Amino acid sequence: MNQFRVISNTLFTLTLLSLIYNNHFLTFPNTPHRRSLRETPTLKNNNISSNNISTSTCNGIIDHIGYKTSCEFLKYNAHCSSDSFFDYVKFYYCDSNESALGSVVLVLWLFALFYLLGNTAADYFCLSLRKMSALLGLSPAVAGVSLLPLGNGAPDVFASVVSFVGKGNGEVGLNSVLGGAVFVTCVVVGVVAICVGGQGVRIDKKAFLRDVGFFMFTLVFLFFILVVGRVSVVVAVMFVCIYVVYAVFVAANEIVKKHVNRLKLDGVTPLIPLRVNIFSQEEDSVETSLLDVETEDDGLRSSNALPEWMWASNVAIYSNQMKLQEHERHLWGWQDDGIEVDQPWSSFWKLCSLLEFPLTVPRRLTIPLVEEETWSKPYAVASASLSPLLLAFIWNTQDDLSSLSRKLVYLLGAVVGFTLGSLAYTYTRSDHPPRRYLFPWVLGGFLMSIVWFYMIANELVALLVGFGMFLRVNPSILGLTVLAWGNSMGDLVSNIALALDGGDGIQIALSGCYAGPMFNTLIGLGISLLIGSWSEKPESYTVPQDNSLYYTMGFLMLGLVWAIVILLKNDMRVNRMLGTGLVALYLVFLSVRLAGATGILPLAGLSKS
């Protein structure tokens, strides 16, 4: 597995170097400066809006009527360029001349972006969240409904937010989140059910109905938002607060059960039964909802913190640092032990390992890590010094800033970076991470991980929009399929591995399959809608219009209803009928959406754009 990772990372690095070369050394002569990361395109002398760039004028780049080539069309229609750090449209039509090699480079870079998004979550963001949970003294239940899902759902959440911010591609985010929810609740749950269907496993009824009930209420709320077509700040806050209410239910359930177990151990029988239906689960069941820890035979928690692997379970396939004890079974199906290679190949593997550095070093230089296993004082000092400069660079990507403002921002970043770097050099040691004032380090790692999420997700959405232009496919379809699948691969691998591990793993896997997508919907879309409505206040924010979303939500509801009916009919025992039906439902859903998008199936809202 190490060799596969090294080879894939080497290919990703070579792809990155080729994009850097073309981006900086093969620029258009006498053309306006390319749009920045944060800029919303302003179109002059064109009767189109920024929300319809990809589906109106820019679609003419393929036929390039009135121009000799697509590249010439692009030179005179600069607004069609990719709104990202790398200009993917220019690279494909001009630098590679629409060659197969250019297509291969962009496909490899697509995989690389998915890897970088997941790896940033696994090896940086989740580590910061886990340390923050410990510093704040959060109980497993509170961490399990607050910080933990944020770590596991970070790729979906930030891809959704980025698609809404200044790009006019909100339908990509909507389709990505809802498409990912359909994939997880149908395909992942279906495959898990098929794998363990013969074991007669019985899951907790009350916890399942609670999670699915909250999810269905979320979808009904979102349905009314889409029907109305506009959302205010108050409505967006109410949408996000659904998850807050859900988290309170789970935390209250944990507190109630904890007190019941304590009273039992003390030989006290409570006068009032505490196993109330609103919170409780079966007394002998696993504590479910999202991801919870195993219990000892006496019913008490074996630890006051969630196990390390849970903090990145849904993105664990991207992690290079998650380690388990030797006596534990590897949860994700492989061992990362070193693989012996013949001497003639050793130099080759060392060279490939060196080529991985461009993917890892920039993040290590700007994201503070204070884990014992990964601590490095040079990297710590560098991250404290360079993080403000990275923030200054991102801020200066705005084209409406004056030259003086840019210089002042860089100067401020340099001064702050020098100050923080000097403090880090003076007050840290080489043999272990800081023991005092640890929270600023953890907070810095948390914030800089978000910055990297923003940059990577920005590139990912821009590349998908570019692919939509190349293939004459609505980018929302790519969000529904490519983006949703890519962000859900971690859920598929980790939840299946957990279920195959048997015992409590089946309960945890199924809970994560419903609570995870609900978090992505409420927090990912909720924050996106909140940002949009806040930017438009006191007016309401216009939700991106995509009638195909009603089909997606309809199939998502059908999947939830199918799971409820089959499990209730079978006394909450997971069987293969549940899995087969869910997988078949997803195949039907995918066929309908693709057939409608290509014009094969003429359905309202699914016509080819």
Side-chain angles (χ1 to χ4, degrees):
M1 191 62 203
N2 274 338
Q3 291 183 346
F4 174 78
R5 177 174 287 145
V6 168
I7 292 175
S8 61
N9 286 352
T10 300
L11 291 175
F12 295 158
T13 299
L14 295 176
T15 303
L16 172 63
L17 294 177
S18 68
L19 288 173
I20 291 175
Y21 175 80
N22 285 282
N23 186 71
H24 290 285
F25 296 99
L26 296 176
T27 56
F28 287 150
N30 302 322
T31 54
H33 188 272
R34 179 173 50 85
R35 295 197 312 276
S36 66
L37 291 174
R38 297 170 56 96
E39 180 188 4
T40 301
T42 302
L43 307 180
K44 298 181 179 180
N45 302 322
N46 288 285
N47 296 322
I48 59 174
S49 66
S50 62
N51 290 341
N52 295 316
I53 287 177
S54 298
T55 57
S56 54
T57 299
C58 293
N59 281 342
I61 193 173
I62 298 178
D63 299 323
H64 54 81
I65 300 175
Y67 302 90
K68 293 181 179 180
T69 62
S70 297
C71 183
E72 184 178 344
F73 176 95
L74 185 61
K75 291 180 180 180
Y76 290 95
N77 294 273
H79 60 270
C80 295
S81 299
S82 297
D83 191 8
S84 55
F85 182 75
F86 296 117
D87 193 341
Y88 302 110
V89 179
K90 170 184 168 293
F91 172 81
Y92 180 73
Y93 286 113
C94 299
D95 301 336
S96 68
N97 294 319
E98 306 179 49
S99 65
L101 180 60
S103 301
V104 171
V105 168
L106 292 180
V107 171
L108 283 175
W109 185 236
L110 179 67
F111 283 109
L113 290 173
F114 277 122
Y115 168 77
L116 290 173
L117 200 61
N119 181 255
T120 302
D123 285 352
Y124 298 92
F125 193 59
C126 288
L127 294 181
S128 298
L129 290 180
R130 183 168 63 86
K131 186 71 70 173
M132 187 178 298
S133 174
L135 290 175
L136 295 176
L138 300 181
S139 68
V142 175
V145 296
S146 56
L147 298 182
L148 177 63
L150 179 59
N152 288 328
D156 306 84
V157 170
F158 284 97
S160 171
V161 171
V162 165
S163 67
F164 275 82
V165 178
K167 299 180 183 301
N169 296 313
E171 67 276 4
V172 177
L174 285 166
N175 278 278
S176 170
V177 172
L178 294 178
V182 178
F183 181 85
V184 173
T185 57
C186 289
V187 175
V188 178
V189 174
V191 174
V192 168
I194 292 173
C195 292
V196 303
Q199 300 179 17
V201 178
R202 186 171 181 267
I203 66 172
D204 187 271
K205 179 179 179 180
K206 294 176 182 177
F208 173 79
L209 293 179
R210 178 197 61 206
D211 292 344
V212 175
F214 267 97
F215 198 9
M216 294 185 73
F217 179 76
T218 297
L219 295 176
V220 172
F221 198 111
L222 181 60
F223 173 79
F224 283 109
I225 290 178
L226 294 177
V227 170
V228 174
R230 302 186 68 85
V231 60
S232 63
V233 174
V234 175
V235 174
V237 170
M238 291 173 60
F239 188 67
V240 174
C241 284
I242 296 176
Y243 192 83
V244 177
V245 176
Y246 171 77
V248 170
F249 268 65
V250 176
N253 178 51
E254 165 71 7
I255 294 172
V256 169
K257 185 172 181 177
K258 194 173 185 179
H259 283 290
V260 170
N261 289 330
R262 184 173 300 165
L263 290 173
K264 286 182 178 179
L265 287 177
D266 294 337
V268 178
T269 302
L271 297 177
I272 300 177
L274 296 179
R275 289 177 55 203
V276 289
N277 291 337
I278 192 171
F279 298 131
S280 67
Q281 301 162 336
E282 297 297 332
E283 189 173 351
D284 58 348
S285 69
V286 179
E287 192 72 37
T288 58
S289 176
L290 290 172
L291 299 172
D292 290 326
V293 299
E294 297 180 358
T295 57
E296 299 290 344
D297 294 336
D298 59 5
L300 288 178
R301 296 272 173 190
S302 59
S303 172
N304 291 326
L306 290 169
E308 179 178 340
W309 63 267
M310 284 188 174
W311 285 102
S313 62
N314 287 349
V315 289
I317 60 174
Y318 303 106
S319 177
N320 296 326
Q321 299 175 6
M322 303 300 290
K323 298 178 181 178
L324 299 175
Q325 299 298 324
E326 291 181 359
H327 67 275
E328 292 179 328
R329 175 182 173 183
H330 202 295
L331 292 169
W332 305 293
W334 61 70
Q335 297 290 341
D336 283 338
D337 297 330
I339 301 174
E340 294 295 332
V341 296
D342 296 334
Q343 185 65 27
W345 289 96
S346 60
S347 298
F348 172 75
W349 293 118
K350 290 180 181 179
L351 176 62
C352 290
S353 298
L354 290 175
L355 288 176
E356 291 185 81
F357 285 177
L359 296 179
T360 58
V361 171
R363 288 176 293 165
R364 283 301 307 271
L365 290 176
T366 53
I367 304 178
L369 285 178
V370 289
E371 295 292 315
E372 290 285 347
E373 300 81 3
T374 58
W375 171 252
S376 169
K377 181 173 180 177
Y379 275 123
V381 175
S383 63
S385 304
L386 297 179
S387 296
L389 289 176
L390 177 60
L391 294 176
F393 168 76
I394 295 176
W395 180 263
N396 280 337
T397 55
Q398 302 176 92
D399 278 351
D400 56 349
L401 296 178
S402 64
S403 177
L404 179 60
S405 298
R406 296 178 191 276
K407 293 178 181 178
L408 289 176
V409 169
Y410 276 125
L411 179 61
L412 178 62
V415 171
V416 174
F418 178 78
T419 303
L420 294 178
S422 300
L423 292 174
Y425 180 80
T426 305
Y427 293 102
T428 58
R429 297 179 55 176
S430 301
D431 53 346
H432 62 76
R435 304 289 168 79
R436 300 176 59 189
Y437 307 111
L438 188 58
F439 189 78
W441 285 96
V442 176
L443 183 62
F446 173 79
L447 295 177
M448 292 310 300
S449 297
I450 291 178
V451 170
W452 274 95
F453 275 135
Y454 176 82
M455 293 191 297
I456 298 170
N458 182 81
E459 297 298 309
L460 183 57
V461 173
L463 181 55
L464 287 178
V465 172
F467 271 118
M469 188 182 302
F470 308 149
L471 303 174
R472 289 187 175 182
V473 175
N474 192 318
S476 64
I477 295 297
L478 298 178
L480 176 74
T481 54
V482 178
L483 189 55
W485 295 340
N487 288 337
S488 301
M489 282 299 104
D491 301 79
L492 178 65
V493 173
S494 60
N495 285 332
I496 291 176
L498 279 171
L500 292 176
D501 203 39
D504 297 345
I506 299 174
Q507 181 78 61
I508 295 173
L510 290 179
S511 288
C513 287
Y514 292 103
M518 179 174 65
F519 176 86
N520 296 339
T521 303
L522 288 171
I523 302 302
L525 293 183
I527 292 178
S528 302
L529 295 174
L530 183 59
I531 292 175
S533 58
W534 188 271
S535 64
E536 297 290 336
K537 68 174 188 177
E539 301 295 329
S540 297
Y541 173 70
T542 302
V543 181
Q545 296 299 311
D546 187 352
N547 293 332
S548 64
L549 291 172
Y550 298 121
Y551 292 91
T552 303
M553 295 181 65
F555 277 97
L556 181 54
M557 294 284 286
L558 283 177
L560 298 178
V561 172
W562 175 264
I564 293 174
V565 171
I566 297 300
L567 287 174
L568 290 178
K569 183 179 179 180
N570 202 40
D571 194 27
M572 303 306 295
R573 298 187 185 278
V574 180
N575 59 10
R576 290 188 174 90
M577 182 178 180
L578 169 66
T580 304
L582 289 175
V583 173
L585 182 65
Y586 185 79
L587 293 177
V588 173
F589 157 73
L590 194 61
S591 301
V592 170
R593 285 298 313 266
L594 293 179
T598 56
I600 299 176
L601 186 64
L603 293 175
L606 294 181
S607 59
K608 181 179 179 181
S609 59

